[in-house]
């Protein structure tokens, strides 16, 4: 979605757009995301422009995939040797026998996306000029540790300019590579339109606030995937695909005891909230979603006598945040996938606060994640610590805070109601003495939130209210 940093492109550019151009740096961590490329190819086809992948970019993406295959093969070979030594049956070999085969497979996969994705073939004379740029260190080439680089960038940029008849307003480059700007500057050309993937939709399309019916459809879809497992970030039917969440081993806090071997996302346990919902003129909805997901990790635990023991455990309460694009058909969501192929994950448990008022402020702030919450009402709650907010679907949420004067320091009572129905949830702020050392106790936050609802559902108390409201407004139907 567009932001102050990346406002919508001028109307003349959006309406005269011929292509969006993918560079290697367009993708998270520089690795090909074929589904994401296919999705943007379809959007382009629907809206009358093209997706261009210059040939040198395709070569580089294929090489990055081959490097990943090399790393996987090295790890697999070590595991195979250990299994063989233990007398176990060795799994079958992978379908690739060389780096060349891997790169050929990537090349074929991207080319198979035609006609929605177009490979821009490199002309020989431009390849010569690009090589000369690198040899003579002409922009965009440079030296890194006495190694000359830049021929690949020069080649694909030159080819895009030729195919676009040097009309810089006719294409948008996906990414944020400063070397690309330097190339245009060195060639005395106007600055190109370049937008990072996360802001691409908002800069290309006019986005509007969706109807209440559309928001309802999005939340109901998310509620429908609760309790489903995630394997490689996908539900079994692949109707939900989350982006990569980086190094999940960072979420494990037992480094002194464990040698972590693997961490994987497990089951979706709750929908915490959804905000920033927008819809384009062709009906593609996007929203930032917050899910609680279990994770599973395995590794080796060092016993007291130094023996390594195989060890696995469950990591509950991982908060995953992602921007999803939702495909709607007849008002119902058929699938959702990560808008940029990248999500964030953090441990949602074990939080503490330095002051009871900070705990209350942050608890109220989480109400922004409830779809349909009115910003003005929430601002009043922030100031007064009491009051109510009304949702567009007829529900009212009332907050009353009672000062406990001890432990609990305060109790927040949330009442959700609609017509003759109502339900109540309490969240308490308590002092956790186990967090406070004997020396310098004031330096360590020790105020924690507790709730019976959180205990019953194994949800952090900070997110219990929003998950509770979502469950009542859009009940999860067990499958």
């Amino acid at each position: 979605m567009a932001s102050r940093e990346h406002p919508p492109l001028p109307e003349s550019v959006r309406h005269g757009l011929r292509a969006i151009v993918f560079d290697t740096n367009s993708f998270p961590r520089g690795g090909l995301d074929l589904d994401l490329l296919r999705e943007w190819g379809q959007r382009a086809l629907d809206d009358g422009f093209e997706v261009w992948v210059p040939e040198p970019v395709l070569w580089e993406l294929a090489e990055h995939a081959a490097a990943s295959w090399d790393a996987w093969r090295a790890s697999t070979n070590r595991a195979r040797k250990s299994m063989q030594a233990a007398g176990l049956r060795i799994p079958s070999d992978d379908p690739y026998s060389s780096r060349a085969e891997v790169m050929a497979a990537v090349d074929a996969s991207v080319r198979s996306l035609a006609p929605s994705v177009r490979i821009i073939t490199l002309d020989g004379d431009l390849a010569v000029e690009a090589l000369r740029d690198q040899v003579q260190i002409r922009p965009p080439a440079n030296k890194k540790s006495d190694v000359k680089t830049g021929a690949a960038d020069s080649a694909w940029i030159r080819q895009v300019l030729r195919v676009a008849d040097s009309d810089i307003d006719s294409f948008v480059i996906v990414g944020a590579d400063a070397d690309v700007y330097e190339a245009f500057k060195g060639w005395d050309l106007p600055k190109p339109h370049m937008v990072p993937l996360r802001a691409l939709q908002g800069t290309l399309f006019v986005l509007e606030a969706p109807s209440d019916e559309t928001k309802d459809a999005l939340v109901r879809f998310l509620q429908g995937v609760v309790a489903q497992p995630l394997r490689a970030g996908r539900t079994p039917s692949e109707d939900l695909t989350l982006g990569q969440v980086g190094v999940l081993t960072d979420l494990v806090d037992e480094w002194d005891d464990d040698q972590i071997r693997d961490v994987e996302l497990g089951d979706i346990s709750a929908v915490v909230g959804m905000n920033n919902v927008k819809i384009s003129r062709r009906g593609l909805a996007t929203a930032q979603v917050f899910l609680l997901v279990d994770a599973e990790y395995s590794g080796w635990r060092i016993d007291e006598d130094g023996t390594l023991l195989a060890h696995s455990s469950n990591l509950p309460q991982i908060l995953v945040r992602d921007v999803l694009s939702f495909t709607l058909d007849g008002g119902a969501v058929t699938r959702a996938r990560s808008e940029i192929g990248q999500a964030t994950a953090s441990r949602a448990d074990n939080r503490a606060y330095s002051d009871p008022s900070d705990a209350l402020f942050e608890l109220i702030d989480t109400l922004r994640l409830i779809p349909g919450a009115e910003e003005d009402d929430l601002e009043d709650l922030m100031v007064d610590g009491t009051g109510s907010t009304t949702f567009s679907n007829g529900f009212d949420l009332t907050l009353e805070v009672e000062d406990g004067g001890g432990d609990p320091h305060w109790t927040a009572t949330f009442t959700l109601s609609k017509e003759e129905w109502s339900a109540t949830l309490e969240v308490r702020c308590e002092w956790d003495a186990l967090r406070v050392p004997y020396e310098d106790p004031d330096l360590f936050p020790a105020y924690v939130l507790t709730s019976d609802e959180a205990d019953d559902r194994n949800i952090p108390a900070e997110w219990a209210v929003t998950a509770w409201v979502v469950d009542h407004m859009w009940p999860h139907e067990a499958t």
Side-chain angles (χ1 to χ4, degrees), residues 64 68 119 149 159 186 200 203 253 435 459 476:
H64 286 186
S68 297
I119 307 302
T149 64
Q159 190 64 59
L200 187 57
T203 58
D253 54 9
R435 296 173 180 268
I459 293 177
H476 167 65

Side-chain angles (χ1 to χ4, degrees), residues 147-227:
V147 177
K148 297 176 181 179
T149 64
D153 283 345
S154 174
W156 77 256
I157 296 170
R158 288 179 181 275
Q159 190 64 59
V160 166
L161 285 168
R162 174 173 287 180
V163 175
D165 300 320
S166 297
D167 183 359
I168 293 174
D169 282 343
S170 69
F171 62 88
V172 172
I173 298 171
V174 184
D177 191 345
D179 288 342
V180 175
Y181 285 133
E182 288 299 319
F184 281 75
K185 181 180 178 181
W187 297 336
D188 293 324
L189 294 173
K191 191 175 182 179
H193 303 289
M194 188 157 55
V195 179
L197 187 59
R198 68 179 185 277
L200 187 57
Q201 170 156 288
T203 58
L204 289 183
F205 305 117
V206 176
L207 303 181
E208 302 173 346
S211 65
D212 292 337
E213 291 76 14
T214 296
K215 285 189 288 187
D216 285 348
L218 304 191
V219 183
R220 291 187 188 283
F221 171 84
L222 294 174
Q223 285 286 76
V225 298
V226 168

Side-chain angles (χ1 to χ4, degrees), residues 409-477:
H409 285 256
W410 52 255
T411 299
T413 303
F414 294 88
T415 302
L416 185 67
S417 60
K418 183 177 182 180
E419 298 174 351
E420 301 301 319
W421 173 90
S422 68
T424 300
L425 170 68
E426 281 190 357
V427 179
R428 299 173 295 277
C429 178
E430 299 177 349
W431 175 259
D432 185 359
L434 295 177
R435 296 173 180 268
V436 183
Y438 181 75
E439 298 178 355
D440 300 322
D442 293 340
L443 297 180
F444 295 85
Y447 292 99
V448 298
L449 299 180
T450 65
S451 169
D452 295 338
E453 174 77 9
D455 293 339
D456 291 343
R457 298 183 57 193
N458 195 27
I459 293 177
E462 288 82 358
W463 308 111
V465 178
T466 56
W468 174 76
V469 170
V470 168
D471 274 350
H472 279 302
M473 288 190 182
W474 299 274
H476 167 65
E477 298 179 2

Side-chain angles (χ1 to χ4, degrees), residues 33-185:
D33 185 328
L34 193 68
D35 286 343
L36 191 149
L37 192 60
R38 180 185 293 109
E39 174 72 20
W40 272 104
Q42 188 58 52
R43 295 184 196 182
L45 199 64
D46 292 343
D47 281 271
F49 59 90
E50 295 180 318
V51 167
W52 291 353
V53 178
E55 204 168 33
V57 171
L58 178 54
W59 297 338
E60 194 168 5
L61 291 171
E63 195 284 325
H64 286 186
S68 297
W69 176 76
D70 278 337
W72 172 83
R73 185 180 60 167
S75 176
T76 302
N77 285 341
R78 288 193 295 271
R80 288 166 61 88
K81 290 178 181 178
S82 297
M83 293 176 66
Q84 189 172 24
L88 298 176
R89 184 172 59 86
I90 305 300
S92 59
D93 292 333
D94 73 273
Y96 308 109
S97 61
S98 66
R99 287 173 53 87
E101 281 193 19
V102 173
M103 291 188 283
V106 172
D107 187 284
S109 295
V110 176
R111 292 182 187 275
S112 71
L113 300 181
S116 61
V117 175
R118 177 182 172 189
I119 307 302
I120 305 298
T121 305
L122 180 62
D123 293 337
D125 62 321
L126 296 185
V128 171
E129 282 300 308
L131 182 59
R132 184 177 178 184
D133 285 341
Q134 178 168 305
V135 170
Q136 298 184 344
I137 316 181
R138 304 185 305 189
N142 54 44
K143 292 180 70 173
K144 297 178 180 178
S145 301
D146 294 328
V147 177
K148 297 176 181 179
T149 64
D153 283 345
S154 174
W156 77 256
I157 296 170
R158 288 179 181 275
Q159 190 64 59
V160 166
L161 285 168
R162 174 173 287 180
V163 175
D165 300 320
S166 297
D167 183 359
I168 293 174
D169 282 343
S170 69
F171 62 88
V172 172
I173 298 171
V174 184
D177 191 345
D179 288 342
V180 175
Y181 285 133
E182 288 299 319
F184 281 75
K185 181 180 178 181

Side-chain angles (χ1 to χ4, degrees), residues 77-376:
N77 285 341
R78 288 193 295 271
R80 288 166 61 88
K81 290 178 181 178
S82 297
M83 293 176 66
Q84 189 172 24
L88 298 176
R89 184 172 59 86
I90 305 300
S92 59
D93 292 333
D94 73 273
Y96 308 109
S97 61
S98 66
R99 287 173 53 87
E101 281 193 19
V102 173
M103 291 188 283
V106 172
D107 187 284
S109 295
V110 176
R111 292 182 187 275
S112 71
L113 300 181
S116 61
V117 175
R118 177 182 172 189
I119 307 302
I120 305 298
T121 305
L122 180 62
D123 293 337
D125 62 321
L126 296 185
V128 171
E129 282 300 308
L131 182 59
R132 184 177 178 184
D133 285 341
Q134 178 168 305
V135 170
Q136 298 184 344
I137 316 181
R138 304 185 305 189
N142 54 44
K143 292 180 70 173
K144 297 178 180 178
S145 301
D146 294 328
V147 177
K148 297 176 181 179
T149 64
D153 283 345
S154 174
W156 77 256
I157 296 170
R158 288 179 181 275
Q159 190 64 59
V160 166
L161 285 168
R162 174 173 287 180
V163 175
D165 300 320
S166 297
D167 183 359
I168 293 174
D169 282 343
S170 69
F171 62 88
V172 172
I173 298 171
V174 184
D177 191 345
D179 288 342
V180 175
Y181 285 133
E182 288 299 319
F184 281 75
K185 181 180 178 181
W187 297 336
D188 293 324
L189 294 173
K191 191 175 182 179
H193 303 289
M194 188 157 55
V195 179
L197 187 59
R198 68 179 185 277
L200 187 57
Q201 170 156 288
T203 58
L204 289 183
F205 305 117
V206 176
L207 303 181
E208 302 173 346
S211 65
D212 292 337
E213 291 76 14
T214 296
K215 285 189 288 187
D216 285 348
L218 304 191
V219 183
R220 291 187 188 283
F221 171 84
L222 294 174
Q223 285 286 76
V225 298
V226 168
Q228 291 195 35
L230 290 169
R231 293 294 178 264
R234 301 167 184 257
T235 53
S237 61
E238 298 193 359
D239 52 351
L240 171 66
T241 302
L242 295 178
Q244 298 182 47
V245 293
V247 184
L248 282 170
T249 52
D250 292 344
L251 302 177
V252 182
D253 54 9
E254 299 184 46
W255 285 104
D256 291 339
D257 299 323
D258 290 359
Q259 297 295 318
I260 306 303
R261 184 169 68 238
D262 191 27
V263 181
E264 291 287 344
L265 293 179
D267 294 348
I268 301 171
S269 57
V271 178
V272 170
M274 181 182 78
N275 62 9
N276 295 337
V277 187
K278 298 290 182 181
I279 191 165
S280 70
R281 57 185 171 85
R282 76 174 184 88
L284 181 71
T286 60
Q288 182 172 234
V289 303
F290 300 79
L291 305 173
L292 279 177
V293 182
D294 290 340
E296 301 169 351
Y297 82 91
S298 58
W300 298 99
R301 173 157 289 176
I302 304 175
D303 203 359
E304 291 181 358
D305 61 1
T307 304
L308 287 178
L309 302 175
H311 173 63
S312 62
S313 184
N314 180 265
L315 291 174
Q317 305 174 344
I318 303 300
L319 182 66
V320 177
R321 175 172 59 87
D322 201 352
V323 176
L324 301 181
S325 59
F326 298 81
T327 301
L328 294 107
D329 184 8
V333 177
T334 57
R335 71 184 185 100
R337 63 153 289 125
S338 177
E339 176 74 0
I340 63 172
Q342 193 168 17
T344 61
S346 59
R347 291 289 291 269
D349 58 347
N350 204 33
R351 293 189 63 186
Y353 303 87
S354 299
D355 187 271
S357 60
D358 293 339
L360 180 60
F361 182 89
E362 292 204 24
L363 177 64
I364 296 174
D365 193 49
T366 64
L367 302 181
R368 300 178 190 276
L369 302 186
I370 302 173
E374 292 292 337
E375 188 67 26
D376 290 343

